[in-house]
Amino acid sequence: MSDWDPSKPILEISNLSISFFTRLREIPAVMDFSCSVMQGESMGLVGESGCGKSTVALAVMRDLGKNGRIVGGTIKFKGRDLTHMSDEELRHIRGSEIAMIYQEPMASLNPAMKIGAQLAEVPMIHQGMGQAEAWALARQIVADVRLPDPDRIINAYPHQLSGGQQQRIVIAMALMSKPALLILDEPTTALDVTVEAGIVDLVKALGEKYGTSMLFISHNLGLILDTCDRLCVMYSGEAIETGNVTQVFDKMRHPYTQALFRSIPLPGADKNSRPLVAIPGNFPLPHERPKGCNFGPRCDYFEDGRCNATDIAMSPVPDDDRHASRCLKWAEIDWNAPIKLKAAKPKTPIGKVVLKMEDLRKYYSVSSGAFGGGTAKVVKANETLSFEAHEGETLAIVGESGCGKSTFAKVLMGLETATSGSIMLFDENVQSTPIQKRNVDTVSSVQMVFQNPFDTLNPSMTVGRQIIRALEIFHYGKSDQDRHDRMLELLDLVKLPRAFADRMPRQLSGGQKQRVGIARAFAGGAKVVVADEPVSALDVSVQAAVTDLLMDIQRENKTTLLFISHDLSIVRYLSDRVLVMYLGHVVETGTTDQVFQPPYHPYTEALLSAVPIADTKVIRKRIVLDGDIPSAMNPPPGCPFQTRCRWKSQVPGGLCDTEMPPVQTLTGGHQIKCHLAADVLAQMEPVIKVAAE
C-alpha cells in the first residue's frame, strides 16, 4: 500500500452499478454511482430506505451475498481496485484497513463470548498480537469509547450490557485495528436520542484521534449535519446531489433534496399554520423505474419530453466545492421561491376531559433466581402518574426507552392492569378491568397504532378482510355489505386506493402498511388513540404524509391522540401538550410551547439538546448525558434523575440524593418535578436558538 498518494481519495467509487439476480429477472439496485472520500474526511450517504445506501456499503466490503453482483464501475481503496481482488487479499483488508459498524449491535456480537475476548480477537488475527497485549489494548479501547468500569465490561457477556453499551463495543471492535476507513450503517437508529448524542460525539472524536475516514449512512439529515463534512443524496439507486454539507443544506440544487427538507419538521413548522409538505406518489420499484429522471413522476418541476427523454448525468454546480446535481433544470429553477403553502388548517377545538389518570402505579414482580426461585424483586415501571387528556387534543408522551411509556400504554389499553390508582375513561373506571372483560364499546373507543407496521398485520389475510374483521368485532353495521362499504370508506380516510382491499400485506410498502394499521384502529370510531412511535420505522417523506393523515382524522373525528415518541422534532410539530417521563415518573408537563422553552426540567433540557436538527441556522447547546437510565428494579434514592443531572450542585444540602422532589407548578399550569429553586430555574437559557440571518 506504500505507493498510494495521501493527497488522492482514500476511497474512490466510479460509475458503480450493482444488480441482484433473481430467477425472474435482473434487478438493478445501484446505477452509475460515483463518490470519493479523502483521507480524514467523513462522507454522509443519505436517502430513503430502498435507495441503495447499504448496497453501496456492502459493495465496498465486497459482501453482496450470492445473488448480488457488481456489473459495472470500480471501487478503489488507496488506489487499488477492490472489485478485482481475490478473497485472500480482501481478507487482509477487511477488518484491518476497512471496518464496518452495522445497525443492530447484537447481530455483530457473539453471545457466548466475553466482550474482552471478542475485542482481543481482532488484533490477534489481523496483526498476530500476543494475547496479554491484545487484552490490554481491548481494555484501553473500552475506556476510549467512554464506557464506565472497563474492567467489569471486558469480563461481561453481551446480554449484560444495554443497547447503547453494546453499540459502543461494536465501535470499539471496529477501531481495534485502527482502520483507515470506517463504514457506519445507521449506527444509532435503534438507540435513544440521548445515547445517540453520546455516540455521535464519540465517533467524531475518535475519527479525529485516529485520522479515520468515514462513510456514514443515515436517513437522518440532522445527524449527517452533526457528523459529516460532505454529503451524497441518493434516490432510487442513483446519486442525485453531492457536495459539502452546508452547501447542500443551504443551496440545494436538486428537486428531491428540496422535497426531502420540506417534509422534515424543522423548528417553525406547525401542523395548523405551516403544515409539512409530503412528497406525492411513491418510490419506484427497481424494475419499474421511469425513463429519464427517476424522480420525474414525483417532481414539481417535471417537463414532459425533456426530463423523461434520456438518461441524466451528474452536472457540476460552478463556484462550489465539488457540488454536483443530477437534474437537467437545476440552473433554471428559482430555488428561493417561497414554498407553495398548503391551506392552513383550522385548529381542532379542545373539548371536555375524556381520559383522566390519578396516582397510577404499575409494579411488576420479578424473581431473581434463574428458574423462578430466589427472592422476588419489584420493578416499578410507573410511579404515581396523574394527568388528563381532552377531546381533540394531542398529548405527547416523551422519554428514553425504559422510562415506562409503553407500560403506561398497555395499562390504558387493558393489556395490563394497574397496581393502584384510577383511570377514568368517559366517567368509567377501567383501571382494573383487563381487555377480555371490557365491553365492546370501551374496547372500540380506545385503540392503538403500533410502532412496527410489519408485525401488526396478519400476513395471510387481505387488507380489506383485516379491516372488516375489526368491524365485525365491534358489531358495526347490519350486514356484510354495510361492513364492506365502511371498509372502503376507511381506505379513503387513510388515502389508500380502494383496489388495495384485495392486496396482501407483503404487497405494500411500510408507509402503506402503517396506513392500514391506522384504518383498523379507527374502524370502531375510536375516541382515544394511543400511537406508540407510529412513524419511527418510516422514511421522512412517508412520515410527513402519515402524521398529516393522523391530524386530518383527528380534526374530522375529534379524536384524542396520545402520541408516544422519543423524536422531539415530530412532537414539537404535532402535539398540543407534552408529558416528559423518566424512570416511571412524570418529570415535566405543560403545553408544547412551555416544554420547549426554558425553564426546563434538567432531563428535558438534556433531551432537547440531544435532538439532531437538519438546519444550519440552528445553534444548540450540547449536553451529553453520562450513563444509561438506571434499572427500575433498583432506582436511585431521592430524585430518579440525580445520577445524571448537571444541575445537582445547585441544590443545597444533598436533597437530590435523599428526597423525592416535589411537583412545582410554574406559570400557566406548567409543572416540573424538581428540587431546583424558582430563581435558578428562571436563569435557564434556551437550548435551541435560531441564528440571525
Side-chain angles (χ1 to χ4, degrees):
M1 292 278 171
S2 54
D3 53 353
W4 173 66
D5 171 4
S7 66
K8 294 214 162 70
I10 192 161
L11 177 71
E12 190 167 16
I13 304 177
S14 307
N15 310 108
L16 178 70
S17 294
I18 302 164
S19 287
F20 288 91
F21 293 86
T22 66
R23 281 181 308 218
L24 290 175
R25 59 167 81 87
E26 173 188 346
I27 296 177
V30 172
M31 289 121 14
D32 184 32
F33 177 84
S34 301
C35 95
S36 57
V37 184
M38 304 301 285
Q39 186 166 15
E41 190 172 69
S42 62
M43 166 70 104
L45 262 190
V46 175
E48 298 173 274
S49 44
C51 72
K53 311 183 293 286
S54 298
T55 309
V56 169
L58 292 169
V60 175
M61 295 299 280
R62 289 288 312 277
D63 182 19
L64 286 167
K66 281 198 178 72
N67 59 352
R69 269 213 297 279
I70 293 172
V71 291
T74 57
I75 304 173
K76 288 185 175 167
F77 173 69
K78 289 192 171 178
R80 294 173 61 194
D81 190 350
L82 294 172
T83 53
H84 298 312
M85 278 191 188
S86 68
D87 287 349
E88 184 56 36
E89 289 176 295
L90 284 167
R91 258 198 300 276
H92 284 297
I93 287 183
R94 273 193 212 123
S96 60
E97 295 256 358
I98 305 178
M100 184 156 173
I101 295 167
Y102 295 89
Q103 186 167 349
E104 190 45 72
M106 227 11 214
S108 316
L109 295 171
N110 182 336
M113 267 172 92
K114 286 188 174 171
I115 297 289
Q118 297 192 52
L119 290 171
E121 214 174 35
V122 181
M124 284 159 74
I125 289 171
H126 287 295
Q127 294 153 21
M129 195 182 273
Q131 189 174 1
E133 196 185 342
W135 270 79
L137 179 65
R139 190 197 175 288
Q140 183 224 317
I141 289 218
V142 167
D144 265 0
V145 294
R146 305 186 198 147
L147 279 166
D149 196 356
D151 293 316
R152 179 184 69 81
I153 297 241
I154 57 173
N155 285 303
Y157 288 96
H159 70 268
Q160 294 171 304
L161 309 182
S162 70
Q165 289 173 330
Q166 286 170 4
Q167 192 61 290
R168 282 167 192 256
I169 292 297
V170 173
I171 292 172
M173 199 184 286
L175 291 167
M176 279 301 278
S177 53
K178 305 198 170 47
L181 175 69
L182 186 58
I183 302 173
L184 302 103
D185 189 359
E186 302 265 12
T188 58
T189 310
L191 306 174
D192 282 312
V193 276
T194 47
V195 181
E196 178 178 83
I199 287 192
V200 165
D201 280 9
L202 168 76
V203 167
K204 278 166 69 177
L206 294 171
E208 282 161 20
K209 179 173 177 181
Y210 296 122
T212 314
S213 307
M214 284 188 251
L215 190 60
F216 197 109
I217 297 172
S218 180
H219 63 263
N220 183 334
L221 287 159
L223 211 53
I224 294 288
L225 180 61
D226 278 356
T227 43
C228 299
D229 312 306
R230 295 184 62 72
L231 159 75
C232 174
V233 183
M234 286 186 78
Y235 179 79
S236 190
E238 294 179 324
I240 53 125
E241 182 162 15
T242 175
N244 82 35
V245 169
T246 21
Q247 271 169 1
V248 176
F249 273 52
D250 293 346
K251 248 183 84 176
M252 53 199 72
R253 290 293 175 263
H254 194 286
Y256 174 64
T257 317
Q258 184 185 51
L260 209 52
F261 273 92
R262 287 179 174 176
S263 61
I264 330 178
L266 295 172
D270 176 272
K271 63 179 175 186
N272 298 314
S273 57
R274 278 194 47 200
L276 299 179
V277 182
I279 305 175
N282 281 321
F283 202 74
L285 291 169
H287 54 280
E288 294 172 358
R289 291 192 177 107
K291 204 169 178 310
C293 173
N294 281 344
F295 187 59
R298 307 173 72 188
C299 178
D300 290 345
Y301 310 104
F302 178 75
E303 193 178 316
D304 194 17
R306 184 177 169 196
C307 297
N308 52 1
T310 56
D311 285 346
I312 297 166
M314 288 291 259
S315 59
V317 175
D319 309 328
D320 277 0
D321 167 25
R322 292 181 284 154
H323 188 176
S325 165
R326 193 184 293 269
C327 175
L328 290 174
K329 301 179 66 174
W330 70 260
E332 304 158 29
I333 293 170
D334 176 4
W335 296 98
N336 298 322
I339 187 167
K340 281 194 194 110
L341 277 181
K342 298 199 325 200
K345 297 185 175 169
K347 192 174 178 327
T348 317
I350 308 290
K352 59 183 189 304
V353 174
V354 178
L355 173 72
K356 187 171 182 166
M357 285 202 178
E358 283 190 3
D359 294 340
L360 183 85
R361 284 188 172 84
K362 174 64 186 167
Y363 293 173
Y364 292 99
S365 183
V366 182
S367 62
S368 55
F371 299 103
T375 52
K377 285 191 171 176
V378 172
V379 177
K380 298 181 175 180
N382 287 157
E383 276 280 16
T384 58
L385 279 182
S386 297
F387 74 90
E388 48 190 46
H390 298 253
E391 182 181 79
E393 174 177 61
T394 305
L395 175 68
I397 296 149
V398 179
E400 292 168 282
S401 41
C403 73
K405 309 187 293 282
S406 296
T407 301
F408 144 77
K410 285 177 190 161
V411 171
L412 176 61
M413 296 298 300
L415 300 172
E416 303 269 3
T417 52
T419 310
S420 68
S422 70
I423 304 175
M424 299 298 290
L425 184 66
F426 308 111
D427 309 325
E428 182 190 351
N429 190 351
V430 293
Q431 151 266 331
S432 49
T433 322
I435 197 155
Q436 303 87 324
K437 293 188 182 151
R438 290 188 178 182
N439 62 36
V440 172
D441 289 349
T442 309
V443 173
S444 65
S445 61
V446 185
Q447 283 292 302
M448 189 151 179
V449 179
F450 295 90
Q451 178 169 1
N452 194 343
F454 305 93
D455 297 342
T456 51
L457 298 179
N458 183 335
S460 56
M461 234 187 233
T462 62
V463 164
R465 183 75 201 105
Q466 308 211 26
I467 298 173
I468 288 174
R469 205 163 156 249
L471 291 167
E472 286 169 358
I473 292 168
F474 299 143
H475 306 317
Y476 179 88
K478 294 190 171 61
S479 64
D480 287 350
Q481 189 58 45
D482 282 356
R483 287 187 274 278
H484 188 265
D485 294 347
R486 175 69 181 145
M487 177 270 291
L488 293 174
E489 285 170 14
L490 284 161
L491 286 178
D492 295 344
L493 181 72
V494 294
K495 300 184 175 64
L496 282 177
R498 289 186 165 197
F500 274 38
D502 302 322
R503 290 202 184 180
M504 301 302 271
R506 65 170 183 276
Q507 295 169 291
L508 309 188
S509 70
Q512 289 166 341
K513 283 183 189 167
Q514 193 59 295
R515 284 164 188 252
V516 176
I518 293 170
R520 201 173 50 179
F522 282 94
K527 289 289 172 231
V528 178
V529 171
V530 181
D532 189 358
E533 303 267 11
V535 292
S536 62
L538 306 176
D539 280 315
V540 218
S541 60
V542 184
Q543 223 177 49
V546 171
T547 43
D548 227 23
L549 172 71
L550 276 171
M551 295 293 103
D552 283 348
I553 296 177
Q554 181 181 47
R555 284 186 187 95
E556 214 165 294
N557 297 0
K558 297 197 169 77
T559 323
T560 305
L561 191 63
L562 299 184
F563 193 85
I564 298 177
S565 181
H566 65 260
D567 178 350
L568 285 160
S569 38
I570 209 107
V571 162
R572 181 179 203 155
Y573 171 66
L574 58 79
S575 61
D576 301 305
R577 282 193 310 130
V578 182
L579 200 85
V580 182
M581 284 186 74
Y582 185 82
L583 203 60
H585 293 265
V586 174
V587 293
E588 178 162 8
T589 169
T591 64
T592 309
D593 288 345
Q594 287 168 344
V595 172
F596 278 81
Q597 280 158 11
Y600 313 104
H601 184 280
Y603 175 57
T604 312
E605 179 191 48
L607 268 186
L608 289 173
S609 83
V611 180
I613 297 172
D615 189 338
T616 52
K617 297 180 196 65
V618 167
I619 308 160
R620 58 195 171 105
K621 258 194 195 155
R622 287 295 271 172
I623 303 162
V624 174
L625 290 179
D626 290 327
D628 295 297
I629 283 198
S631 159
M633 251 196 260
N634 189 14
C639 171
F641 186 59
Q642 52 109 340
T643 53
R644 302 165 78 193
C645 181
R646 70 188 196 110
W647 290 86
K648 194 172 154 183
S649 57
Q650 304 277 335
V651 178
L655 266 180
C656 299
D657 296 328
T658 52
E659 280 185 42
M660 179 62 70
V663 174
Q664 303 185 41
T665 303
L666 310 168
T667 48
H670 182 191
Q671 293 187 327
I672 293 183
K673 196 173 199 172
C674 186
H675 282 302
L676 285 173
D679 56 334
V680 178
L681 287 171
Q683 290 164 20
M684 280 193 172
E685 292 172 357
V687 174
I688 300 167
K689 285 184 187 152
V690 179
E693 292 276 334

